[in-house]
Amino acid sequence: MTESTVTPCGWAAPCRSVQIYIADDLLPEYAEVNKRVPLTVTGLNDANRAAALARLVSLYGEEKTAHAECAGKDMGAFRLADVPDGCDVLRLDAEKLTERRRFDFSDLKEIMARLRGEGGCEWDRAQDHASIRINLIEEAYELVEAIDCSDVPGMLEESGDVLMQAVFHTQIAAESGEFGYGDMLTALCRKLLDRHTHIFGENHADNAEQALGFWNEAKKKEKKYVSHTDAMDRVPKNLPALLYAEKVQKVAKRAGFDWDDAAPAAEKVREELEEFLSADAEHRTEEGGDLLFAAVNVLRLKKTEAETALRAASAKFCRRFAAVEREVAANGRDMTDCTLEELDKIWNEVKKAENGVE
């Protein structure tokens, strides 16, 4: 590919740059195409034409018009979905941002720069790292919920929202000279290359557990941990409490301070429960925390995420509670008018109705 960068094509500027791709070089998804300037694709043949057209459709959409040539002769203009066989060259015009049907990461950067730039959105321009910090947490949880619900359209939307938050922070950082998109992407790619030593290095992993071990070893070198305690101290303190406990325990496991299976950990839960039940008011919070920490240990050793498990249990409780309230209301009563024994009986009936799920 050859490309000049005389003038970027944005919202109205005339385009004087050109880019030329040999068809085979266009095929990989990581090949970058700048839709702000005209594109010429050469070297089309019967072996690569279908794949090249599919790639162009993924970049521009099937409604995009392309000018086809064969042996230097003009064949006419066609929708990408209708380009005829036999052409060996395609020419596509530049597109304004608002006219594009398909977008890539460069488009997202362009939109964010416009929103934050002179004459952009007043709300976006007023934000800083701290003011939008909570948004990333909210968007991440929305993505997790979509994943838990196997909601593919939701996962598509929420993944984009999480990416947008990363781009927002990077744009703010670029404006203040902290770091730019190239710095962020370089750091990310370098991390992926350096930590996957079994792919890009000399190590070999036969399974996921070995791969994770190599990742952790590479991370240890990268972070320059001086001890296991140092690694534990660097677990983010603002994680949800259950997730934080699990990550702390995983650091302890890598130090060899862990049970081989869940049985002794379960016995520890019984011990902590007794201590909690017998604790005075001054020590009840401490003992309650020990009880929860021990419970997280059991779930971890049984390869169950405590955060996910508790969230699912809470959702199940809410679902069954709502069913109980509906049943009570159907009899013209309010839950507060019922005894605990009556409510518990209805609760058990709801459980039976859920196909025996306990």
Side-chain angles (χ1 to χ4, degrees):
M1 182 193 76
T2 60
E3 178 181 355
S4 62
T5 54
V6 179
T7 303
C9 286
W11 298 276
C15 193
R16 295 186 293 274
S17 297
V18 294
Q19 59 184 335
I20 301 174
Y21 257 110
I22 298 172
D24 289 336
D25 293 338
L26 179 69
L27 298 183
E29 289 192 7
Y30 53 77
E32 293 187 1
V33 172
N34 186 353
K35 295 188 288 292
R36 298 154 189 78
V37 300
L39 168 67
T40 297
V41 181
T42 66
L44 291 163
N45 54 52
D46 292 341
N48 63 24
R49 188 178 295 106
L53 285 171
R55 175 78 170 117
L56 289 172
V57 168
S58 73
L59 290 166
Y60 290 89
E62 61 182 17
E63 297 299 320
K64 175 68 175 177
T65 298
H67 300 270
E69 295 180 9
C70 180
K73 295 183 180 179
D74 184 16
M75 297 177 66
F78 305 89
R79 294 167 62 247
L80 282 176
D82 301 325
V83 170
D85 294 338
C87 65
D88 53 23
V89 175
L90 286 177
R91 303 186 189 281
L92 291 77
D93 293 334
E95 290 184 334
K96 293 181 180 179
L97 177 65
T98 54
E99 295 175 355
R100 295 168 200 160
R101 297 178 180 87
R102 299 280 296 179
F103 298 91
D104 56 32
F105 188 66
S106 67
D107 297 316
L108 180 56
K109 290 166 56 180
E110 184 176 350
I111 291 170
M112 183 55 67
R114 177 70 182 273
L115 293 175
R116 290 276 301 178
E118 195 69 32
C121 172
E122 293 302 325
W123 185 88
D124 289 293
R125 286 166 54 83
Q127 305 311 308
D128 57 26
H129 289 304
S131 68
I132 59 171
R133 168 183 171 276
I134 195 64
N135 295 13
L136 175 57
I137 298 173
E138 293 173 352
E139 298 295 358
Y141 273 110
E142 290 180 8
L143 174 56
V144 169
E145 182 174 6
I147 294 171
D148 290 344
C149 296
S150 299
D151 178 6
V152 176
M155 290 167 59
L156 170 64
E157 177 182 355
E158 300 304 338
S159 294
D161 289 346
V162 170
L163 174 61
M164 185 267 185
Q165 293 302 314
V167 168
F168 207 150
H169 282 285
T170 305
Q171 180 66 34
I172 293 173
E175 294 166 2
S176 62
E178 297 169 321
F179 59 86
Y181 288 101
D183 301 315
M184 180 268 288
L185 292 171
T186 295
L188 174 59
C189 291
R190 188 72 264 164
K191 177 190 294 185
L192 292 174
L193 292 170
D194 290 345
R195 293 193 185 178
H196 286 92
T197 57
H198 56 294
I199 302 297
F200 304 106
E202 298 180 355
N203 290 324
H204 173 74
D206 294 318
N207 51 54
E209 186 174 355
Q210 289 181 5
L212 180 60
F214 288 132
W215 172 280
N216 285 326
E217 282 301 313
K219 181 178 180 180
K220 181 179 179 181
K221 293 179 181 178
E222 173 194 316
K223 297 293 185 180
K224 296 181 174 62
Y225 295 140
V226 297
S227 64
H228 294 293
T229 299
D230 182 27
M232 190 174 290
D233 284 342
R234 296 201 214 178
V235 176
K237 307 298 189 295
N238 55 358
L239 286 172
L242 291 178
L243 182 57
Y244 177 74
E246 186 172 344
K247 284 189 171 293
V248 165
Q249 291 171 8
K250 287 181 177 179
V251 175
K253 178 181 179 64
R254 291 197 289 273
F257 190 60
D258 195 21
W259 282 295
D260 293 330
D261 56 60
E267 189 60 39
K268 187 67 175 177
V269 172
R270 298 185 184 95
E271 176 187 323
E272 296 295 352
L273 176 59
E274 289 298 325
E275 293 183 8
F276 171 70
L277 292 175
S278 61
D280 56 26
E282 182 180 357
H283 297 92
R284 201 167 293 143
T285 297
E286 177 185 352
E287 296 300 340
D290 291 345
L291 174 60
L292 291 173
F293 192 85
V296 170
N297 229 350
V298 175
L299 268 69
R300 178 183 57 81
L301 289 164
K302 297 293 285 186
K303 301 187 183 305
T304 302
E305 292 182 350
E307 190 77 24
T308 301
L310 183 57
R311 191 171 297 277
S314 297
K316 179 170 65 176
F317 178 85
C318 292
R319 183 179 68 249
R320 291 179 177 177
F321 181 90
V324 170
E325 186 170 33
R326 287 194 300 271
E327 181 66 24
V328 171
N331 295 319
R333 303 175 68 190
D334 187 85
M335 290 183 68
T336 56
D337 299 328
C338 302
T339 65
L340 179 58
E341 290 74 15
E342 290 174 319
L343 293 176
D344 192 51
K345 180 180 179 181
I346 299 173
W347 177 273
N348 289 326
E349 292 172 352
V350 168
K351 287 173 61 177
K352 290 180 181 179
E354 289 188 357
N355 299 319
V357 176
E358 297 298 330

